[in-house]
Amino acid sequence: MQDNATEVTAAGIARLAGVGRAAVSNWRRRHPDFPKPVGGTETSPSFALAEVEAWLREQGKLAEVPLRERVWQQLTGHPEGPAVALVHVGCVLLLVQERPTVWLDIGAGSDERLAAKLPGVLDEVLAARFGREPVNAADTVNASGRVNTSGSVNTAAPVHTPSGPQLLPSAPLLRGAAELAGKLGARQTFEFLLGRYLDAHSRQYTPTPGELAGLMAELAGPALTVLDPACGTGALLRAVEARPHQTLYAQDSAPDLVALTALRLALHTRAAVRGAVGDTLREEAYPDLRAAAVLCHPPFNERNWGHDELAYDARWEYGFPARNESELAWVQHALARLADGGTAVLLMPPAAASRRSGRRIRADLLRRGALRAVLALPVGAAPPYNLPLHLWVLRRPDRTPVAPEVLLVDTGAFAGEARGGPDWQAVRDAALDTWRAFTRDGQLAERPGLARSVPVIELLDDDVDLAPARHLPPPAAADGVEQLAAVRDDLAATLRLTAGLTPPPAAPAPPARWPLTTIGELARGGALLLRTGALPGAPGSTAGTAGTAHARVPVLTDHDVLAGSPPSGMLPESDEEAVLTEAGDIVVPVLGGGSVARVVDAATAGAALGRNLVLLRPDATALDAWFLAGFLRGTANNRQASSYASTATRLDVRRLQLPRLPLDEQRRYGARFRALDEFEQALRQAGRLGEQLLRGMYDGLTDGTVEPH
């Protein structure tokens, strides 16, 4: 299966060997026999994967390239680029899933036979799943993979059958992907590769976190026809509850995204999948569609959305959007594509609820009963992560009387700690509970600080400001005072504990002259196991690929380790096999230049290791975990093991040093390091409680719920 033409970058070599990129640079300098670059640029060279694999194995740095990694490197080294390669892989994985015996027959021959026979069978499978006619004998496929037909072109075909010459360079990759599918399943294999691809090109895409996509789908409710007019990588349609005879419609201006989304959906669900390429606002693909639900994460603040050429478009039932109100154009497009009584859920920037340029459209949406709810999300729910984005829930008015009230919900209190993202379970519970109660009764009893249903007439003032926080009453005063008292008591108890944990005066001693060893030497000698994290740590870093199979597995991120907080990420279904932590492991961040090492306790054990973390699992008969963690935190130790770039510092964990000491002496040091860790945790807790008390006092004094005694 090995493809000798596959190239790998320095970052790929580091991933293969489980080391930092600085280690790869050192190997190139120190080993004359290190493979020479075969491509790339002077600053970012690429190397032949086969040569690199052989060198690593000779050096004892690699036993065998995992199949996942081999397939990934072949995909990234594809001559037509990873996006084209991923489409080819998706087509074959769909064939493997739909007609496994056909693949076994085709895959048994040479690469040339594979490339010659694949187009015909792929065309049948793609036509069946995406609702188009197979390519006729008179039709051809051009260099970009599009069909030149003898008749008319079906512009709604989301995936075009690649030709034999296009598939031939992909043959080793396709065989590897099919082999990987035999171990993981076709859907899981595609999710893994797609997740890696999106993570590697994260700046090109705006992800919709899986938790948010699931919430939006639940707010819309079950539906047989669902449209996403800005589908991206398909996170929203993938979150839709599956139903018999269901059809999913997708459109996006990027052809690669439409193809990847269509393949992703076809592998994930038995629903009919329809996809189209085009600028939705200018060239909508489904003008006659009346969907039961529309889900949309539109591009924000887009000025070139078609303002000049779309002035007389029939979709602007509620008013012609201003040039800076592209989001209100998407809102009206969604309403235009809904069936009577259908529901649309759109992710919106908070400014869309209050900009003066959009107040007339907002007012008409309210008067005609189209806007049913505005839900403010916590900071960090989706990019841009520094803004508390909104969800707008809309319904196309039918013959029922217009509802006189609108639901406003603010879930900002569930933002979570540090940079771990929101408490999604709390957000989901609050949003769905209030929405379902409101839709059932037509109104909602006031829930201070969280939600209320507001009469439409109350919102129809000069501003038509729909920001929930401006219309919700503050939390009950009595509860607020009681909560502040509880925080104060907790702070006092924590400060007493901190005083008791304060280290005793330091006893002076001459500088030690211990014999030293390194983490790399200990790993080679079997005294510890070294593993590298490769999962996106923060929620949403894989463009909304979180899946149900691993939804309960938390991820320990580098931010969690730095902040001393619990695991805050969630394991994406798309990614590779997770490295799960165990009690007594030491976890070290490799970015940032800090001297940090965390010993995993029973509460954290079982969490997956996130990106930019290295896990050390010591042999308890040779190394004490706390002794190891303590010496890894030495400032001088970290400085000599770090490499520096223009904007970041990276730690080569293998170069970190520690003294060779008997196990009993290690445990004596370890006990002291453990006591320091307890003191550090108490200080952090005191800081958190102090900030909470201060904020509560400021808020109470300024809103009149606390007396200035």
Side-chain angles (χ1 to χ4, degrees):
M1 191 202 78
Q2 179 65 52
D3 178 13
N4 293 328
T6 300
E7 298 178 10
V8 60
T9 63
I13 297 173
R15 189 190 292 273
L16 285 171
V19 299
R21 291 186 62 176
V24 179
S25 298
N26 288 335
W27 293 342
R28 293 185 64 195
R29 288 196 302 268
R30 297 176 181 177
H31 297 275
D33 61 338
F34 190 87
K36 303 302 180 185
V38 296
T41 64
E42 184 176 347
T43 57
S44 181
S46 60
F47 307 82
L49 176 60
E51 295 179 7
V52 169
E53 180 184 345
W55 187 89
L56 291 173
R57 192 173 288 110
E58 289 172 2
Q59 296 292 322
K61 303 179 187 299
L62 180 69
E64 181 61 45
V65 177
L67 179 59
R68 293 168 179 258
E69 197 61 42
R70 194 190 301 257
V71 172
W72 169 248
Q73 296 299 342
Q74 289 180 324
L75 188 144
T76 58
H78 193 280
E80 295 299 324
V84 171
L86 193 52
V87 171
H88 291 181
V89 167
C91 292
V92 166
L93 289 175
L94 190 58
L95 172 63
V96 170
Q97 179 172 282
E98 301 275 328
R99 303 181 185 181
T101 57
V102 174
W103 165 256
L104 290 175
D105 174 62
I106 294 177
S110 65
D111 288 354
E112 290 73 16
R113 179 176 181 269
L114 178 78
K117 287 187 169 294
L118 258 183
V121 294
L122 285 182
D123 194 56
E124 294 177 6
V125 172
L126 297 177
R129 291 298 278 119
F130 301 131
R132 62 172 174 81
E133 292 297 323
V135 177
N136 298 322
D139 298 337
T140 61
V141 183
N142 63 25
S144 66
R146 299 196 175 276
V147 181
N148 300 321
T149 65
S150 53
S152 61
V153 177
N154 184 353
T155 58
V159 184
H160 300 287
T161 307
S163 66
Q166 291 171 330
L167 287 169
L168 185 58
S170 302
L173 167 64
L174 300 180
R175 295 184 192 278
E179 183 182 349
L180 189 57
K183 299 176 182 291
L184 304 179
R187 177 172 62 87
Q188 292 84 350
T189 297
F190 190 73
E191 287 293 325
F192 158 67
L193 294 172
L194 177 62
R196 273 275 191 97
Y197 171 76
L198 295 176
D199 189 43
H201 300 83
S202 57
R203 294 186 178 181
Q204 299 178 25
Y205 307 108
T206 302
T208 305
E211 298 90 344
L212 176 58
L215 173 59
M216 293 173 66
E218 289 192 81
L219 287 169
L224 291 182
T225 53
V226 186
L227 166 68
D228 184 349
C231 66
T233 57
L236 291 175
L237 290 175
R238 188 174 179 273
V240 171
E241 178 186 349
R243 297 175 68 83
H245 312 297
Q246 191 175 55
T247 304
L248 305 178
Y249 294 87
Q251 183 172 356
D252 199 280
S253 58
D256 290 341
L257 288 183
V258 174
L260 294 175
T261 291
L263 290 165
R264 187 184 195 191
L265 294 173
L267 287 162
H268 176 73
T269 178
R270 295 308 306 169
V273 177
R274 303 291 180 264
V277 178
D279 182 330
T280 297
L281 293 181
R282 290 185 172 92
E283 306 171 46
E284 57 174 328
Y286 312 108
D288 299 323
L289 177 66
R290 296 296 178 265
V294 175
L295 301 174
C296 187
H297 177 174
F300 296 161
N301 303 317
E302 190 178 52
R303 287 186 171 269
N304 185 27
W305 58 267
H307 177 271
D308 294 338
E309 59 264 46
L310 297 175
Y312 301 102
D313 197 287
R315 288 170 291 180
W316 315 141
E317 294 183 49
Y318 302 87
F320 180 43
R323 189 181 301 276
N324 65 333
E325 292 285 1
S326 63
E327 297 85 7
L328 293 182
W330 285 97
V331 163
Q332 294 191 75
H333 173 80
L335 286 168
R337 296 287 75 79
L338 281 175
D340 290 347
T343 302
V345 183
L346 283 84
L347 184 66
M348 301 283 281
S354 56
R355 279 190 297 242
R356 289 191 60 82
S357 55
R359 65 188 187 278
R360 292 184 179 178
I361 294 177
R362 293 195 299 271
D364 209 32
L365 290 169
L366 291 172
R367 289 192 192 97
R368 298 173 59 180
L371 182 60
R372 304 301 300 121
V374 176
L375 295 86
L377 297 168
V379 170
Y385 290 109
N386 61 326
L387 291 179
L389 303 177
H390 291 176
L391 290 178
W392 285 25
V393 184
L394 305 109
R395 281 192 175 162
R396 184 166 181 81
D398 51 20
R399 297 180 181 179
T400 59
V402 174
E405 299 193 358
V406 173
L407 177 66
L408 300 180
V409 182
D410 187 355
T411 63
F414 307 123
E417 296 184 359
R419 297 177 61 180
D423 180 347
W424 278 110
Q425 187 60 49
V427 172
R428 177 183 176 279
D429 290 345
L432 294 178
D433 181 50
T434 53
W435 170 245
R436 287 166 180 167
F438 174 71
T439 54
R440 181 182 64 247
D441 303 329
Q443 57 184 4
L444 181 77
E446 193 173 273
R447 302 185 186 184
L450 177 64
R452 68 177 283 223
S453 56
V454 182
V456 167
I457 192 65
E458 186 177 319
L459 299 171
L460 294 176
D461 54 16
D462 288 341
D463 294 324
V464 197
D465 192 331
L466 306 180
R470 300 186 183 180
H471 301 279
L472 298 181
D479 293 342
V481 172
E482 290 176 2
Q483 185 179 14
L484 284 178
V487 171
R488 187 180 184 281
D489 292 343
D490 289 344
L491 176 60
T494 303
L495 290 174
R496 289 192 295 270
L497 174 64
T498 305
L501 294 173
T502 302
R513 293 290 184 265
W514 295 303
L516 299 176
T517 185
T518 66
I519 294 298
E521 291 172 351
L522 290 170
R524 286 191 292 273
L528 59 81
L529 174 68
L530 186 149
R531 299 293 299 275
T532 303
L535 296 168
S541 62
T542 56
T545 58
T548 56
H550 302 122
R552 301 192 178 196
V553 179
V555 173
L556 184 68
T557 72
D558 54 344
H559 302 301
D560 300 331
V561 175
L562 294 170
S565 55
S568 62
M570 298 306 294
L571 181 62
E573 184 181 11
S574 64
D575 233 307
E576 58 201 81
E577 184 177 355
V579 176
L580 300 182
T581 58
E582 297 178 3
D585 290 345
I586 296 94
V587 180
V588 183
V590 297
L591 293 181
S595 303
V596 179
R598 174 170 169 176
V599 178
V600 176
D601 56 16
T604 304
L609 190 68
R611 180 176 293 282
N612 298 323
L613 292 176
V614 170
L615 179 144
L616 305 175
R617 182 167 295 159
D619 180 352
T621 63
L623 287 172
D624 179 79
W626 286 100
F627 160 80
L628 176 58
F631 272 94
L632 296 186
R633 294 191 62 171
T635 301
N637 198 7
N638 274 259
R639 187 175 297 139
Q640 64 84 28
S642 296
S643 59
Y644 304 93
S646 58
T647 59
T649 303
R650 187 173 188 90
L651 182 69
D652 185 352
V653 175
R654 290 177 179 268
R655 292 172 53 190
L656 288 171
Q657 300 175 334
L658 67 156
R660 297 181 182 271
L661 296 179
L663 191 57
D664 289 344
E665 187 70 0
Q666 291 182 34
R667 288 170 178 161
R668 192 166 73 90
Y669 273 95
R672 187 65 183 274
F673 286 136
R674 186 168 192 166
L676 289 175
D677 182 79
E678 292 175 356
F679 177 59
E680 182 179 27
Q681 296 304 319
L683 285 176
R684 282 176 166 160
Q685 177 66 3
R688 286 191 287 264
L689 290 170
E691 290 178 2
Q692 189 177 350
L693 179 62
L694 279 172
R695 175 48 52 201
M697 290 297 296
Y698 274 112
D699 289 345
L701 288 167
T702 55
D703 65 19
T705 59
V706 173
E707 287 288 337
H709 295 305

